[in-house]
Structure formats: structure tokens, C-alpha cells
Amino acid sequence: MGATLKSLEKELEITLEDFNLVGRSPDASIRLVDGGVSRQHATIRRDGQLFWVSDLGSANGSFVNDVAVTTARALRHGDRVQFGTSTFIFDSQDEERPPSETSNVSTQSLHTIALPVKTVRATLLVGDLRNFTTISSQLSAEEVAAMLREWYAQCEKVLKTRDAIIDKFIGDGVFAYWPGDDISSRIKATEAAKILSSPDSSESPKRKWLKENMNLEVHCHIGLNIGDVALGAMGRGVNTAVGEAVNVTFRIESLTRKLQVPVLAGAPFLNGWAEGLQLYQNAGIHPVKGQPDPVEVYSLIDVPTMSF
């Protein structure tokens, strides 16, 4: 059982693997000889029964059913997928599990079971690889794919073992959450942020190779926050968390570059957590894009310094 991309322009059918790098580069796993396709254009990644497409900041974008892919998007049987001028039909042989088979599932499985939309309080984490576009431009498509595979695997290991639900991978970024705002979730989010943002590359062969051979260090910025989110099956039946708190968390992650710190948490993340104030220090109040009011943020203290 699996999935394929069937070309609309030529007799071509591509069998999808668990991780696929789409691009013009000769060593891309899905190589497209198309002037409108970037060297490293997009990724298609399998998560359970779903395949997710993410654009890697390509010049001309990626599209599903004529809609631009701006965040990771789950593909459905019959979707029309376009990279440059190359258009494909997504053909999936996997069947969705019937509702009767989804009882007594673990928290890790909730993302793939269609849930009714409801508003919940959640602990939020956004991570993004620093200077990914600059670094990837110096690497082959195969090296970029290897780096992303390691990054995704590390995120899954670190986050899922701490009971987080990974909402989506967005190219070189990740968005995850913990339902609820209890202290335990904040501690787990802090632990995950500390590990993911560490400049220590010893557990990543590709990062270690980049550092030793090309003097390139791959680090992750993390934004943390707490807020109300709408959680459930949106539009095409794929569960996701949306809302102003999610938008603010992405903006908080962006502030890490301006403030030159690896991890920032919004004030709601520390509210009511006295012990947390021993782990974070106030980093001031700052305006953020798309928000009428500035946000107060705190930086995680016990994190190794990285070069910016």
C-alpha cells in the first residue's frame, strides 16, 4: 500500500517514499527538469496514512488544487499537485481507518482522527531552523534531504516522547502543542525547547559533518506560548490548531533573531508558574507583525549560546 504522483503532461508515475525531496537538482529524489522548479523546491513526507507537502521557499511556489502551499498540507486522493509547470495527480491506495477502529487511541494518534472543532487552552511550540535557505543553497539536494530527515526525526523523538502532538512540519519548521496549560505541559515544552535549540550536533551525523567540513552550524529557534486555540478537523478533515495564540507564537519565534536568543516564551507561558521564573528571564516588551499590541517575552536562561 502506498501513494504515487501521476503526471498530467507525460507518461510518468512516481512512487512516493516516506520522505521525498522535489527539485531540479540531479540528486533530488523527485527530480523535475522544469525551469519553474527550484533546486530544492518542496518536500512530501509521510506521517501515518497521510502524505504532507511543504514548500521550501521556492521561487515559484507549490500548489494543491490551484491553492498555494504556505504551510504543510495533507494530500488527499485525486488532489492536483503543481511544482513549477509540472502538474501531477496524487493517487493514494491507503484507506482511511473507519471510526470503529479509532477508539482507545493514544494521544499521539489524535492528529489523524477527525475531531469536532472546539476551543481549548493549549501549550504551543514553534521551531524553525536558523538560516536554512542560506545553508541549503550551499548543499546538494541529497544533503538537504538528509538534513531535513534528521531534523524531522529529532523533532518526533523529542516532542512525542514528551506527549506533544505535532500539528505540522512546515519546510524547515515545526508546530506542536500540548492540550492544556498545566505546569507539566510547560515543563515538557521547556525540556523540548532546550534540546531542539542546542547547538550540540553530536547526535546528528549530517549536522556534525556540516560543522566539521563546511563550518556550517545548524541551530533551531523556538517560540513558546499559551493560549486558546480552535482544535479539530478543519476543511478537508485534517486536525489542526488555529487561532490568534498560534499566530503570536510564530511571531515570538521570529523575535529570537532580533533578540539573538535561541528560545523565547510569551508572558502567558510563565503566568502562574513561579518556578518557571527561575528558568526564564524577562527579555522586554516588543512589537510584532500583525499584532496591535506589543508582546512581553522571556528568554530561556540555561541554553548554550549560539552564534547569530
Side-chain angles (χ1 to χ4, degrees):
M1 305 296 283
T4 61
L5 291 179
K6 296 181 178 180
S7 173
L8 291 182
E9 292 88 19
K10 58 186 73 173
E11 291 293 328
L12 175 65
E13 183 171 349
I14 301 169
T15 299
L16 295 177
E17 300 175 358
D18 287 344
F19 182 88
N20 309 267
L21 179 66
V22 181
R24 199 177 67 250
S25 175
D27 51 1
S29 51
I30 299 179
R31 186 193 181 196
L32 300 178
V33 183
D34 181 332
V37 172
S38 300
R39 289 182 66 251
Q40 292 102 29
H41 193 100
T43 62
I44 300 176
R45 177 181 178 277
R46 183 170 188 163
D47 183 7
Q49 290 184 331
L50 296 177
F51 282 85
W52 296 78
V53 59
S54 300
D55 189 81
L56 294 178
S58 63
N60 295 308
S62 304
F63 299 84
V64 176
N65 300 328
D66 298 322
V67 177
V69 176
T70 56
T71 64
R73 174 164 177 172
L75 296 174
R76 297 296 190 188
H77 178 73
D79 276 349
R80 187 173 65 257
V81 187
Q82 181 177 347
F83 310 106
T85 61
S86 301
T87 307
F88 302 86
I89 296 297
F90 177 73
D91 186 357
S92 175
Q93 290 84 48
D94 282 344
E95 297 291 334
E96 295 290 338
R97 291 170 60 190
S100 61
E101 296 181 19
T102 61
S103 58
N104 299 321
V105 294
S106 67
T107 301
Q108 304 297 347
S109 303
L110 290 177
H111 188 52
T112 58
I113 301 171
L115 301 172
V117 178
K118 62 179 180 179
T119 299
V120 300
R121 196 78 169 163
T123 301
L124 311 170
L125 179 149
V126 170
D128 188 64
L129 291 180
R130 181 174 67 90
N131 296 331
F132 173 78
T133 302
T134 301
I135 293 173
S136 63
S137 67
Q138 302 178 56
L139 305 176
S140 68
E142 183 176 303
E143 290 168 333
V144 171
M147 182 172 67
L148 286 176
R149 276 196 296 267
E150 286 186 359
W151 162 239
Y152 291 163
Q154 182 187 24
C155 286
E156 290 192 336
K157 177 182 177 181
V158 171
L159 292 167
K160 289 186 176 181
T161 56
R162 288 167 176 79
D163 302 319
I165 296 174
I166 297 178
D167 188 281
K168 60 175 70 75
F169 286 103
I170 314 166
D172 61 324
V174 62
F175 168 45
Y177 61 89
W178 289 258
D181 61 353
D182 53 278
I183 300 303
S184 175
S185 294
R186 304 185 206 195
I187 292 173
K188 291 173 182 176
T190 298
E191 290 176 348
K194 185 180 296 187
I195 295 171
L196 291 176
S197 65
S198 172
D200 181 11
S201 60
S202 60
E203 294 187 5
S204 169
K206 177 51 64 176
R207 291 195 200 182
K208 184 176 182 180
W209 185 90
L210 289 173
K211 183 176 181 179
E212 293 177 350
N213 294 274
M214 300 182 68
N215 197 31
L216 294 175
E217 290 192 273
V218 182
H219 305 305
C220 177
H221 296 274
I222 299 288
L224 300 169
N225 198 23
I226 283 177
D228 293 331
V229 301
L231 175 62
M234 308 289 178
R236 295 163 57 82
V238 176
N239 297 320
T240 189
V242 299
E244 199 58 31
V246 176
N247 298 335
V248 172
T249 308
F250 275 88
R251 300 307 183 191
I252 289 173
E253 185 278 320
S254 296
L255 271 179
T256 60
R257 294 155 180 77
K258 175 183 176 181
L259 302 183
Q260 298 191 2
V261 294
V263 180
L264 282 176
F269 189 84
L270 278 302
N271 287 347
W273 184 23
E275 294 81 0
L277 294 175
Q278 306 300 315
L279 304 175
Y280 293 81
Q281 62 184 4
N282 192 287
I285 300 175
H286 304 271
V288 294
K289 184 178 179 181
Q291 296 299 313
D293 300 317
V295 298
E296 184 177 14
V297 291
Y298 292 75
S299 61
L300 184 58
I301 297 172
D302 188 20
V303 176
T305 302
M306 62 177 70
S307 57
F308 282 78

